[in-house]
Each structure stands twice: as C-alpha cells, then as structure tokens.
Amino acid sequence: MTKPALLQPRVLFVFQKAAAPGSTRGAGFVRRLKKYADFSFADGEVMALEDLVFVVDKRKAQVYDWTSKKDPADYDFVYFKGWEGMPDVAAALAIYLRAKGVPFIDAAVEQKGAANKLVTTMKLWASRVPTLRTIYTSHKHIQEVLASEIVTYPAVIKSTIGQKGKDNYLAKTRRQAKPLVEGTHIDWIIQD
C-alpha cells in the first residue's frame, strides 16, 4: 500500500517590483531558499505589488496579478518582502488577505499604509460596507487596464491621493481615458 502524496503548502513571496531574469530578488530569492535553506517542504512563488489589480464592487473584491491572473488569496501563506516602496498597495493587499483568512507576515504592513483611496476602499469592503465599483492598478499597467473589458465607460479616473478634485477626471470613452494618465507616475483608481 502506498502512502498518499502530501500536498505542499503554497507560499507567495510579495515584492514591490517584478525582478529581472537572473536577479537574486523575486524568483531568484525562492531558488536560493530551495537551494540553501531546505525550502523543499513548500511550493514558493512570487508576485509584485506593481502588477496587482484590485476590483471592488459593492460587497465583492478580487485581487489578482495582471499577467498571471493569479489571486494572492489562493495561497496558503503570504510573505511580504521588500514592500516598503509601495506601502499603500501592501496595506490594501494585507486587508484583503486578512478578510479572506490567509495568514501573512508581517502585520506591520497593515499599519504602514496611509488612508488613501485604495486603502479606504479595501477597509470599507472588509467591513462589509457596500462600495462603488472601484478598480486600482499601478501606473505600470494603467493603460492596459483602461483598454480592457474590466473598465466600463463613462468612468471617473482619480489619483489615489488626490484631494478637492485635483487629478480627478471624467472619461466618457477609452479614447478619452488614455491621454489623462499617459506619462504619469501617479497611482490611479477607476470608478464607474
């Protein structure tokens, strides 16, 4: 009689940015763990905060990697590593993971994020407060997201840290949306 194979826990390492091929960050970090730290008990993968898309609609939320379409909540454990350059996105992800019951390290991630529009939206969702349909992505993927089917028009596009109408635009069509964010390094949210 053969023993049933045990499933390895899936561990996600979250970095601020995607690492270049051959880098010691990202996938290179996981390779080093497996080689030198006997990380054979788990399956390790990486994701970058800059590649995440958040979609919140009333009482539902979804977070996924724009390229792989993988959801961080599908992992057994999440380790935040090198997230300090994007504290608001890390805090929003931590709120999502906690609400989904996914353990993560380090709890300080939740306290470092400011109360920007993304973090506030995720806090409202986690508290079961219905919210306006809101989409977030970093400036790295904003053009692709605006051109995708997840955004419906007309749409309001606003800076996650804007106040009093600054960096707050109405785009009636995809064509109108593109120049509003082109060449900026602002993080945006998109609302119906």
Side-chain angles (χ1 to χ4, degrees):
M1 177 189 241
T2 60
K3 285 185 178 179
L6 296 176
L7 293 176
Q8 290 184 314
R10 295 179 66 212
V11 178
L12 178 65
F13 295 92
V14 176
F15 291 85
Q16 175 186 336
K17 295 186 177 206
S23 171
T24 58
R25 290 185 30 226
F29 175 77
V30 174
R31 280 191 302 275
R32 286 184 298 142
L33 274 179
K34 288 181 178 182
K35 184 174 181 179
Y36 300 114
D38 190 25
F39 192 71
S40 59
F41 66 90
D43 181 25
E45 294 184 37
V46 297
M47 224 175 256
L49 292 171
E50 71 176 354
D51 292 330
L52 295 181
V53 175
F54 291 72
V55 181
V56 180
D57 192 1
K58 295 181 180 82
R59 289 191 169 96
K60 293 187 279 184
Q62 181 183 17
V63 178
Y64 60 92
D65 179 283
W66 179 251
T67 306
S68 71
K69 306 301 185 223
K70 292 182 179 180
D71 183 334
D74 290 340
Y75 292 82
D76 299 305
F77 186 77
V78 176
Y79 185 97
F80 285 87
K81 181 155 180 55
W83 54 270
E84 293 85 356
M86 296 182 80
D88 299 326
V89 181
L93 178 57
I95 293 164
Y96 175 74
L97 293 171
R98 186 169 302 286
K100 293 282 191 169
V102 178
F104 61 89
I105 252 179
D106 141 27
V109 171
E110 289 175 291
Q111 279 68 49
K112 295 291 184 183
N116 75 5
K117 290 175 179 70
L118 173 61
V119 173
T120 300
T121 298
M122 294 309 291
K123 285 179 178 178
L124 290 168
W125 165 78
S127 298
R128 299 189 176 127
V129 175
T131 60
L132 186 63
R133 186 166 190 271
T134 303
I135 301 165
Y136 163 85
T137 189
S138 72
H139 60 272
K140 178 179 178 182
H141 296 290
I142 189 68
Q143 290 290 356
E144 298 165 85
V145 169
L146 286 171
S148 75
E149 297 302 316
I150 64 171
V151 177
T152 56
Y153 290 90
V156 174
I157 303 167
K158 47 183 151 175
S159 166
T160 59
I161 59 170
Q163 296 179 13
K164 300 179 181 178
K166 184 175 189 291
D167 292 323
N168 191 343
Y169 307 100
L170 172 63
K172 294 181 181 177
T173 64
R174 281 181 175 77
R175 179 177 277 175
Q176 284 182 346
K178 184 178 178 178
L180 296 174
V181 299
E182 207 163 47
T184 68
H185 289 295
I186 295 172
D187 282 344
W188 302 94
I189 60 168
I190 305 146
Q191 295 178 322
D192 290 350

